[in-house]
Amino acid sequence: MNFVESLDKVTTHLLTLLDGPLPAEESRDAFLEEIDKVLQIRDSLLQQLAPPFSEAEMVLGQKVAVASQQVTPKLEIFHKQLKQEWAQIQQSKKTAKAYGQAYSSPTADGMYYDKRN
């Protein structure tokens, strides 16, 4: 199997991974590791490509190019989803911390709460 056929199979596998929704938190790490592994394989195949190409490889290469244009937006969507979830987690941590330490910071109206009572 030549590099273009391998690249086509890897790109197709990557698209099938990205077509589904982002998995639940329990299986998300394995999913992200799989995507990272496929992206690394795909990158190494892209670096190994070198002309001259046959007619069949040219046709397959055009198919891979079209599929590659679909990969980037899907990866960006997953990145946005993960970024939003991370921001929500950080905000909930901040809120929980502020709720737990309600009287540790100065109040807005200048009142002082005595902690000895």
Side-chain angles (χ1 to χ4, degrees), residues 3 6-7 9-11 13 34-48:
F3 290 115
S6 299
L7 183 62
K9 287 185 180 185
V10 169
T11 303
H13 178 63
E34 176 71 17
I35 287 178
D36 187 47
K37 184 178 98 176
V38 172
L39 284 172
Q40 288 177 359
I41 292 170
R42 187 171 176 269
D43 186 45
S44 68
L45 288 172
L46 283 171
Q47 290 177 359
Q48 294 174 3

Side-chain angles (χ1 to χ4, degrees), residues 41-100:
I41 292 170
R42 187 171 176 269
D43 186 45
S44 68
L45 288 172
L46 283 171
Q47 290 177 359
Q48 294 174 3
L49 283 177
F53 299 115
S54 66
E55 285 296 318
E57 289 176 336
M58 292 293 285
V59 170
L60 200 54
Q62 289 175 351
K63 178 184 169 192
V64 169
V66 169
S68 295
Q69 291 175 350
Q70 296 172 359
V71 167
T72 304
K74 291 180 181 188
L75 282 173
E76 288 175 359
I77 289 170
F78 276 157
H79 183 257
K80 280 183 182 179
Q81 289 174 343
L82 290 172
K83 197 173 181 179
Q84 284 176 339
E85 288 181 14
W86 181 254
Q88 288 174 348
I89 289 170
Q90 293 300 321
Q91 182 62 36
S92 65
K93 282 182 179 181
K94 189 177 180 181
T95 303
K97 185 177 178 181
Y99 181 75

